[in-house]
Amino acid sequence: MKILNRSVDFLARCLNAICVRSKVLPQQPIADFELDTSVPTFYIGRLNSRLDIAALAKVCRKLGLPDPTQEQSLADTELPRFIGIQNPPPVFGTKSRPSCALQQGKAIFDALAKQPQQKIQIIPVTILWGRNPGKEKPGLSTLISHSLTPSWFRKFFVVLFSGRDNLIRFSQPLDLTQLVHDKGDKDELPQKLLRVARVHFRRQKLAATGPKLPSREALFNSLLASPTIKKAIADEAKAKGISQDQARQNALRLLDEIAANYSDAMVRVADRILTWLWNKLYNGIDVNYAEQVRELTDKGHEIIYVPCHRSHMDYLLLTYVIYHQGLVPPHIAAGINLDFFPAGPIFRRSGAFFIRRSFSGNKLYSAVFKEYLSQLFINGYSVKFYTEGGRSRTGRLLPPKTGMLAMTLQAMLRGIDRPISIVPVYIGYEHVMEINTYLKELAGDNKKNESVLGIFKAIKNLKNYGRGNVNFGAPININQFLNEQQPNWREAIHPTDVQKPAWLGKQVSNLADEIMLNINSAAALNSVNLLATILLTNDQFALSKSQLLEQMDFYLRLHRDAPLSDKLTLPQQNSAELLEHALTLNKFDVVNDPFGDIIAIKEKERTLFNYYRNNVLHLFAVPSVIAQQLFNHHSITVSECKAQVQRLYPLFAKEWFLPELNEDYIDKILASFAEQGLIRQHGEQLEVIKAGDNQATLEMLGKVVHHTLLRYAIVIGLLSQSGDMSPSELEKEGAVVANRLGTLHGIKSPEFFDKKVLTGFITSLKEQGLVHQRDNALAHTDELVALYQDLQHLLPARLWQSISDAIAAMHAGQA
């Protein structure tokens, strides 16, 4: 028997060496889980399969983990290291013989009872061959997938066809010593261990593959049979004077337009293509905080990804990253403009479902889409949508559009019995492929529709795009959010759509703001947005290399000492390495002269660089105001500094989706300035150290938010000097003054002239109570006048004089 077992093990190792390529998560389990490989270690898996053990053993040897094929010595007993909960079924028949898992568990706990101080760790290991979720009605593809528990004979074909897509995921190890100390009844521990493991592996599989897929026909029939769509069909027939059957066909066509047609085979093909694409386009993709998403899936949470929207690349990049984190690709809400051949069918089979820009006037479409979305949540599919509604043309987060969020909360009110968590995602690039198109659209060009020609043109223009960043922000548990914000929300639960509760709109708005805040809190500094922030504040958009490196060092140190959020990420390279990398992106000119190199933004890139700076401008808002205060006054008290920041901060927070201001944040900024030798503090008094380039360093940082403060000053100045004005008049005159100042001072930042940004700021003034609205007229308050004086102290005299002259000229013209 031993010879036979050794022969089978040898064949399993040979097949594994030839056919298997494993992806391991996390990549460094010893470091991530702080494993001590010297203590007795066991592995527990779902299936007691020799091929599974062979694949695990190969990975463990590479990682320096104990070999699962060897026995573990424990209290003078030799025990198998691998615990398989379930044996594979026989070739003929479906009933598996009982596994030895329970006996192994009892033996481990018995040995532990003899040596109570002995530390033992059991590592749960999920081993998946491919990500095929299987179908509700099994077919041939299911028979050669791992979605069903395979016999040893079928497992051979599973490995043959899916061995290159093997996923091995280690989970947080169980400390059995602690478990024994915490639990009273020791006899039940082996059974409890297996029960917990079964639940864990079921959740792991669901997180990696998603639920089984219904046929498209079965899905549509199920949706058409729902009470909500039945009522909408009846209303459609009555409203249009058509038969029920015709109305039903209309609903069926809408479902066909909307619904995804997910295919595991398409996802695997796309994975290989995208791997090639990213290697061609990017120097690397930095992914941060993905472990918190995996922790949520371990707890059985359904995930809704809500990323910012910078580029069409977002669709591909985020899905690719999620897939490579061992999680099922989400169903993606994509604009109907992307449903063109051949992209549409490919996206649809990759999980995209399509949404029209507007539901207005089409009650049947609205009902069908809402029911489809609800069924995705009810059936346990992860979903991804962009709450901004479209791609940002300026690099700033756009005000959220709340339609999808409202439908998400309404789906919650259908009585979903699983916790649902929203995961905000920050996506950043060192180059956005549509950047030139965005600039043309901001200049007045019409948005062009996507087409096959556009795809080929984009492929032709592929080049070095630098690095990309995907940061998963702090998750929002919707159940917990509603419990805190609307304790009575469960009273509105109903299995079908009913009248919207009165509180829904308010809570949707609150949730949207929290999502946007968490996106910006997870921002990433990179070489391009860092250089853009520095060079755009300088004359001719240039700086000597030595001074540029010093300013980069200052900014990097500042954000390490005083991060806006604990989710903010900084590049690992130093300033010299970042600059060297950035110069390879062909966005900068290097001018050589006898005094040293000068780094300048290429002329054609200067306006475009505002986009990259705007990705991270919110990170510099408070430090910039403080630096400007210090540069202007050279000496100021801590109280004066904080008071001025506190008056401006609510406007910053509304514009850039910032967290509540914590005074510790200001203290950390001042401490960083002091530690970097820029200022000294005597009690309450802050004083600039007049040595070296200190004043230049503070001046450059202070200029970062000049355009924002200038825009504030224009609007507030018009209100303060003109008396009552209607919002439309204020927007119109504000745009005229902004254009004049842009011409006078060479301002090319697109959002400085954007009427939507002006409108948002005026709305913010109303929300903050800084203006009063009577009928259709806005009137300033005393608080607004005080804010105007703050701005006067912060902005340079030349800018302030231009504002005063422009407003005076406008008044003279009106008179």
Side-chain angles (χ1 to χ4, degrees):
M1 184 59 107
K2 285 186 178 179
I3 295 175
L4 178 61
N5 286 338
R6 287 175 183 170
S7 299
V8 173
D9 288 340
F10 175 75
L11 290 173
R13 289 196 299 271
C14 290
L15 185 62
N16 183 77
I18 297 169
C19 299
V20 177
R21 183 177 61 189
S22 298
K23 179 172 182 59
V24 181
L25 292 171
Q27 293 180 353
Q28 301 295 332
I30 294 177
D32 289 1
F33 298 137
E34 299 180 351
L35 298 177
D36 184 352
T37 57
S38 65
V39 305
T41 300
F42 296 87
Y43 303 92
I44 186 168
R46 187 181 70 88
L47 194 62
N48 189 23
S49 162
R50 293 180 189 274
L51 284 165
D52 283 11
I53 297 171
L56 177 61
K58 181 180 175 182
V59 164
C60 287
R61 285 192 290 271
K62 286 183 179 179
L63 296 173
L65 287 165
D67 190 336
T69 63
Q70 297 178 355
E71 293 189 331
Q72 174 67 59
S73 297
L74 193 63
D76 300 324
T77 306
E78 296 293 320
L79 298 172
R81 271 216 180 99
F82 187 83
I83 305 170
I85 295 177
Q86 180 183 355
N87 280 324
V91 177
F92 302 104
T94 57
K95 190 173 183 180
S96 305
R97 61 183 176 83
S99 77
C100 300
L102 186 59
Q103 288 76 14
Q104 288 173 273
K106 286 180 179 178
I108 292 171
F109 282 108
D110 288 344
L112 190 58
K114 295 175 185 177
Q115 296 180 335
Q117 301 307 315
Q118 174 68 64
K119 185 176 180 182
I120 300 173
Q121 58 191 11
I122 294 186
I123 305 175
V125 184
T126 303
I127 303 173
L128 295 174
W129 302 88
R131 307 282 196 89
N132 191 336
K135 295 185 177 180
E136 292 179 355
K137 290 184 178 181
L140 180 61
S141 63
T142 306
L143 294 175
I144 59 173
S145 78
H146 205 230
S147 58
L148 299 177
T149 302
S151 66
W152 67 265
F153 180 72
R154 193 160 66 82
K155 187 63 169 277
F156 171 81
F157 292 99
V158 168
V159 173
L160 202 60
F161 285 98
S162 301
R164 310 295 284 179
D165 293 303
N166 177 244
L167 173 67
I168 297 179
R169 180 177 165 189
F170 296 92
S171 296
Q172 184 72 44
L174 300 170
D175 185 342
L176 293 195
T177 310
Q178 189 65 40
L179 186 64
V180 170
H181 289 168
D182 292 345
K183 303 298 178 184
D185 192 346
K186 307 296 188 292
D187 295 335
E188 291 186 3
L189 287 176
Q191 291 92 335
K192 180 165 186 176
L193 175 65
L194 297 186
R195 284 198 304 270
V196 170
R198 286 189 185 97
V199 172
H200 173 78
F201 292 131
R202 189 161 57 246
R203 286 177 174 173
Q204 291 281 292
K205 183 177 181 300
L206 187 65
T209 67
K212 290 185 178 180
L213 300 171
S215 69
R216 197 166 173 83
E217 182 182 0
L219 172 64
F220 287 3
N221 288 336
S222 170
L223 289 167
L224 291 172
S226 72
T228 303
I229 294 187
K230 277 185 174 181
K231 182 178 183 303
I233 287 172
D235 291 344
E236 172 88 348
K238 184 177 179 181
K240 294 188 175 180
I242 58 179
S243 68
Q244 286 273 351
D245 187 59
Q246 287 176 307
R248 191 176 188 277
Q249 289 302 314
N250 289 345
L252 192 60
R253 279 192 290 272
L254 291 175
L255 276 172
D256 193 53
E257 174 191 309
I258 293 167
N261 190 20
Y262 183 85
S263 164
D264 174 67
M266 177 59 74
V267 170
R268 282 188 280 117
V269 170
D271 174 46
R272 284 157 176 73
I273 294 172
L274 290 177
T275 298
W276 168 83
L277 183 65
W278 302 144
N279 289 334
K280 183 174 178 63
L281 287 182
Y282 297 106
N283 299 127
I285 305 295
D286 298 320
V287 181
N288 294 285
Y289 310 118
E291 66 280 356
Q292 62 190 353
V293 185
R294 294 196 293 268
E295 288 171 6
L296 289 172
T297 61
D298 286 348
K299 296 174 183 177
H301 284 236
E302 188 172 332
I303 306 299
I304 300 173
Y305 301 93
V306 184
C308 60
H309 203 5
R310 311 276 195 223
S311 164
H312 280 320
M313 279 292 183
D314 301 344
Y315 295 105
L316 305 175
L317 179 59
L318 181 54
T319 299
Y320 179 84
V321 165
I322 291 168
Y323 185 75
H324 279 263
Q325 293 301 317
L327 301 169
V328 62
H331 280 56
I332 308 163
I336 194 68
N337 58 307
L338 294 178
D339 189 16
F340 61 91
F341 186 82
I346 293 173
F347 289 156
R348 200 182 292 275
R349 294 183 70 80
S350 300
F353 60 97
F354 293 95
I355 180 172
R356 295 179 182 178
R357 291 296 179 188
S358 173
F359 293 11
S360 179
N362 196 332
K363 293 182 179 180
L364 181 61
Y365 180 85
S366 177
V368 167
F369 186 88
K370 288 179 181 179
E371 187 64 23
Y372 176 75
L373 186 64
S374 293
Q375 288 304 313
L376 290 180
F377 294 135
I378 290 168
N379 292 328
Y381 296 102
S382 60
V383 173
K384 178 176 76 175
F385 60 79
Y386 301 91
T387 194
E388 292 173 278
R391 291 166 293 158
S392 171
R393 268 63 176 172
T394 62
R396 300 154 52 100
L397 279 187
L398 302 175
K401 294 183 178 179
T402 56
M404 286 291 290
L405 274 178
M407 286 185 276
T408 300
L409 290 193
Q410 285 178 278
M412 289 280 296
L413 299 180
R414 300 280 293 271
I416 298 173
D417 58 0
R418 291 179 311 284
I420 296 180
S421 286
I422 290 177
V423 177
V425 187
Y426 174 92
I427 303 176
Y429 302 94
E430 290 182 328
H431 179 82
V432 173
M433 66 177 184
E434 302 100 326
I435 190 73
N436 288 294
T437 303
Y438 291 167
L439 190 61
K440 291 175 183 177
E441 289 176 14
L442 287 168
D445 282 10
N446 292 326
K447 180 180 178 295
K448 293 182 179 179
N449 293 327
E450 280 70 26
S451 65
V452 178
L453 183 62
I455 291 177
F456 286 117
K457 186 177 179 181
I459 292 173
K460 181 184 175 182
N461 293 331
L462 292 181
K463 58 180 181 178
N464 177 15
Y465 285 175
R467 299 190 70 84
N469 298 94
V470 177
N471 288 355
F472 293 91
I476 303 167
N477 184 320
I478 300 182
N479 305 65
Q480 183 179 332
F481 173 85
L482 289 175
N483 287 339
E484 293 172 358
Q485 301 290 328
Q486 195 69 41
N488 66 335
W489 71 275
R490 294 182 188 277
E491 296 174 8
I493 289 178
H494 192 277
T496 60
D497 283 339
V498 293
Q499 187 175 0
K500 295 179 185 178
W503 50 261
L504 185 67
K506 177 185 176 183
Q507 297 310 337
V508 166
S509 179
N510 291 341
L511 181 59
D513 286 344
E514 187 167 344
I515 290 168
M516 306 308 274
L517 186 155
N518 289 6
I519 290 174
N520 260 353
S521 294
L525 274 176
N526 60 43
S527 65
V528 172
N529 59 40
L530 186 62
L531 288 168
T533 304
I534 297 169
L535 293 174
L536 287 175
T537 62
N538 286 273
D539 294 337
Q540 303 305 313
F541 310 105
L543 203 60
S544 70
K545 182 177 179 179
S546 59
Q547 195 173 5
L548 179 58
L549 290 171
E550 287 178 8
Q551 197 74 6
M552 291 174 72
D553 283 333
F554 168 50
Y555 285 178
L556 291 170
R557 171 74 182 276
L558 171 64
H559 288 296
R560 288 192 190 99
D561 295 343
L564 177 66
S565 156
D566 59 2
K567 289 284 191 291
L568 168 67
T569 60
L570 306 177
Q572 297 299 311
Q573 302 96 320
N574 61 35
S575 57
E577 292 167 336
L578 287 172
L579 180 58
E580 183 180 357
H581 162 70
L583 293 178
T584 67
L585 302 179
N586 197 32
K587 296 177 182 292
F588 303 90
D589 287 323
V590 180
V591 181
N592 306 110
D593 70 14
F595 302 102
D597 290 347
I598 295 173
I599 311 298
I601 303 172
K602 286 181 179 287
E603 187 173 354
K604 67 177 182 178
E605 298 278 351
R606 290 175 183 176
T607 303
L608 305 179
F609 258 54
N610 287 279
Y611 185 97
Y612 303 111
R613 181 202 58 190
N614 287 346
N615 290 173
V616 294
L617 186 58
H618 62 286
L619 302 176
F620 292 88
V622 174
S624 180
V625 169
I626 294 173
Q628 189 64 52
Q629 290 172 323
L630 292 164
F631 176 76
N632 287 348
H633 301 288
H634 300 291
S635 180
I636 189 173
T637 67
V638 174
S639 298
E640 290 171 339
C641 173
K642 288 183 175 179
Q644 199 165 62
V645 169
Q646 286 166 345
R647 285 192 290 270
L648 280 167
Y649 192 81
L651 299 175
F652 290 165
K654 183 67 179 178
E655 179 162 351
W656 288 310
F657 303 101
L658 301 180
E660 288 186 14
L661 181 63
N662 189 327
E663 284 198 15
D664 288 347
Y665 177 49
I666 299 176
D667 292 335
K668 288 177 181 177
I669 293 170
L670 294 174
S672 182
F673 285 0
E675 288 172 9
Q676 296 192 67
L678 296 173
I679 64 172
R680 65 171 62 94
Q681 184 172 352
H682 303 287
E684 267 281 294
Q685 200 69 32
L686 300 169
E687 180 184 349
V688 177
I689 298 174
K690 297 178 181 178
D693 294 327
N694 286 357
Q695 293 187 62
T697 299
L698 289 172
E699 182 183 21
M700 278 189 276
L701 177 56
K703 284 182 176 180
V704 170
V705 291
H706 270 186
H707 292 172
T708 300
L709 298 181
L710 188 58
R711 179 163 30 84
Y712 290 2
I714 290 170
V715 174
I716 297 173
L718 286 168
L719 265 177
S720 301
Q721 304 298 319
S722 305
D724 293 357
M725 297 179 70
S726 70
S728 59
E729 289 173 336
L730 186 56
E731 289 170 19
K732 183 179 178 181
E733 294 187 10
V736 171
V737 176
N739 276 295
R740 177 174 175 78
L741 266 63
T743 302
L744 288 172
H745 298 283
I747 298 171
K748 296 184 181 299
S749 181
E751 78 278 359
F752 185 72
F753 310 98
D754 192 341
K755 287 186 178 180
K756 291 180 181 178
V757 176
L758 271 178
T759 302
F761 177 61
I762 294 167
T763 301
S764 181
L765 290 177
K766 290 189 285 186
E767 290 176 356
Q768 303 294 334
L770 294 171
V771 295
H772 297 311
Q773 184 163 1
R774 292 188 295 269
D775 297 325
N776 193 37
L778 299 175
H780 66 267
T781 62
D782 293 341
E783 291 83 0
L784 193 71
V785 174
L787 187 60
Y788 194 51
Q789 293 170 350
D790 284 337
L791 294 170
Q792 191 169 2
H793 293 146
L794 288 170
L795 287 169
R798 62 188 181 85
L799 291 178
W800 195 257
Q801 187 61 49
S802 296
I803 295 172
S804 301
D805 290 347
I807 292 174
M810 184 163 286
H811 288 166
Q814 291 172 348

